Amino acid sequence: MTEPLIVFLDAATLPVPLKSLPLAHRWVNHAHTRADEVVARLQGATVAVTNKVAITAEMLSLLPQLRLIAVAATGFNNIDLAACCTHTVGVCNIRDYAIHGVAEHTLMLMLALRRQLLSDRQRVQAGEWQNASGFCLPANPALEPPHDLAGSRLVLVGSGALGQATAKLGAAFGMQVFFAGRKGQPETRPGYLPWEEALRTADVLSIHCPLTDDTRGLIGAAELALLRPSAIVLNTARGGIVDEAALLAALQTRQIAGAGLDVLSSEPPRQGNPLLDVQLPNLLITPHVAWASVETMQTLADQLIDNIAGYLTGAPRNLL
């Protein structure tokens, strides 16, 4: 029997060791792959591994030997699932791997914004503390005053593994933790707050839901207007969930106190982004790295190999 050929199209996105696959095979890594290189590189491949490289219906029609697409991520918007069904190509993804990393990153953004960390650092670098009249430098009067996490209300949009992990960290800091009910739903599940009540009462609104047709633009101008002026918005999920123009306007008019983002609507933002064109001490943007700790990436890599091994040995895992 011919050894299966496994081709990783964007191996540079996963810079940790891959454990051994427990069966005979051939493995080829490509650091990055352009769209016009996909078909040539997957010729003869049984398994395609991709993090963000798109695999389309047109590509699949030219790859008759392909049997599995192993997505090295949770999101799979880059895969044409309908075409995979047509061509009998399995698709599996990574699940619940970034529980600690994303929750900790969310908490980092939360603490930095609630405690004026960015502003304090900038003011020390500018020499303001060195020239202060007292032993400490008073809070920046242009921003919402610093607040403790303890006793404040954390509202989470999304109650999956990442939302639940963030809820536990918030509770450990003494926060009042609530999940938001679905927008537009007349009834709310037990343990959830109605959508508008959730927004109106949140001190911290943290997003942990997937990007779908229903959640695209979920947080726009109308939703931001419901928030308290002292509230902050955090998004470590997907950029398209938040209307970025509306968010920028809310920050500039002090309609909300701050925002922390690990994601943008287009990544990488090669064409720019309005949120990157401003210097605001209450806006903190990180480059989609909440998942990128060594431990979290290793968990992903191990699960990726298990997914491939499971499929090739007749025990598929995490199929979509």
Side-chain angles (χ1 to χ4, degrees):
M1 182 177 179
T2 305
E3 293 180 351
L5 171 62
I6 302 166
V7 179
F8 198 160
L9 294 172
D10 48 355
T13 63
L14 191 58
V16 292
L18 295 175
K19 64 183 182 181
S20 298
L21 192 64
L23 52 90
H25 66 284
R26 292 178 294 150
W27 187 292
V28 175
N29 280 333
H30 297 285
H32 303 283
T33 299
R34 300 191 311 268
D36 62 355
E37 297 173 323
V38 171
V39 171
R41 289 183 172 181
L42 291 182
Q43 286 300 315
T46 306
V47 179
V49 184
T50 175
N51 188 331
K52 295 296 182 285
V53 177
I55 299 182
T56 66
E58 182 181 0
M59 294 171 182
L60 288 167
S61 68
L62 300 173
L63 299 169
Q65 291 181 276
L66 193 65
R67 288 292 170 264
L68 176 69
I69 299 172
V71 181
T74 298
F76 49 88
N77 292 346
N78 54 324
I79 309 300
D80 189 326
L81 293 182
C84 288
C85 290
T86 299
H87 293 279
T88 321
V89 176
V91 181
C92 58
N93 70 337
I94 307 299
R95 303 181 187 179
D96 299 342
Y97 75 99
I99 293 173
H100 301 300
V102 171
E104 290 178 11
H105 198 91
T106 301
L107 198 75
M108 176 189 72
L109 296 174
M110 192 186 309
L111 283 165
L113 289 164
R114 293 286 279 178
R115 307 293 305 196
Q116 288 196 7
L117 177 63
L118 288 181
S119 176
D120 286 345
R121 181 174 184 271
Q122 290 168 356
R123 295 173 75 196
V124 169
Q125 290 180 321
E128 290 187 41
W129 188 26
Q130 296 87 319
N131 296 308
S133 59
F135 74 94
C136 74
L137 187 65
N140 187 339
L143 298 176
E144 174 69 19
H147 292 282
D148 294 338
L149 294 189
S152 63
R153 175 171 288 206
L154 170 62
V155 172
L156 301 134
V157 179
S159 57
L162 298 178
Q164 295 288 348
T166 305
K168 289 180 180 178
L169 292 185
F173 272 76
M175 302 183 79
Q176 304 171 41
V177 179
F178 298 88
F179 290 95
R182 290 184 179 274
K183 182 179 179 180
Q185 290 292 323
E187 296 183 2
T188 303
R189 293 172 287 174
Y192 290 69
L193 293 176
W195 177 253
E196 290 199 3
E197 180 185 346
L199 268 58
R200 290 184 190 279
T201 61
D203 293 306
V204 178
L205 181 70
S206 190
I207 299 167
H208 300 279
C209 59
L211 178 61
T212 66
D213 289 341
D214 291 334
T215 62
R216 188 176 299 277
L218 181 68
I219 305 299
E223 289 71 33
L224 292 167
L226 293 174
L227 295 173
R228 297 170 173 174
S230 59
I232 64 171
V233 175
L234 307 176
N235 186 9
T236 54
R238 289 292 183 267
I241 297 170
V242 177
D243 182 327
E244 292 166 345
L247 180 65
L248 178 57
L251 289 168
Q252 291 177 323
T253 60
R254 295 191 65 177
Q255 188 174 15
I256 62 173
L261 312 173
D262 187 51
V263 288
L264 293 175
S265 55
S266 179
E267 298 173 348
R270 292 194 176 94
Q271 305 305 315
N273 185 294
L275 293 170
L276 298 177
D277 295 335
V278 294
Q279 296 291 328
L280 298 175
N282 58 345
L283 172 62
L284 179 55
I285 299 176
T286 54
H288 204 143
V289 291
W291 70 283
S293 68
V294 170
E295 294 80 6
T296 295
M297 286 194 292
Q298 193 62 61
T299 300
L300 184 158
D302 292 347
Q303 190 179 141
L304 175 67
I305 295 299
D306 291 341
N307 285 350
I308 296 170
Y311 190 88
L312 294 177
T313 58
R317 300 160 28 100
N318 294 349
L319 287 178
L320 298 168

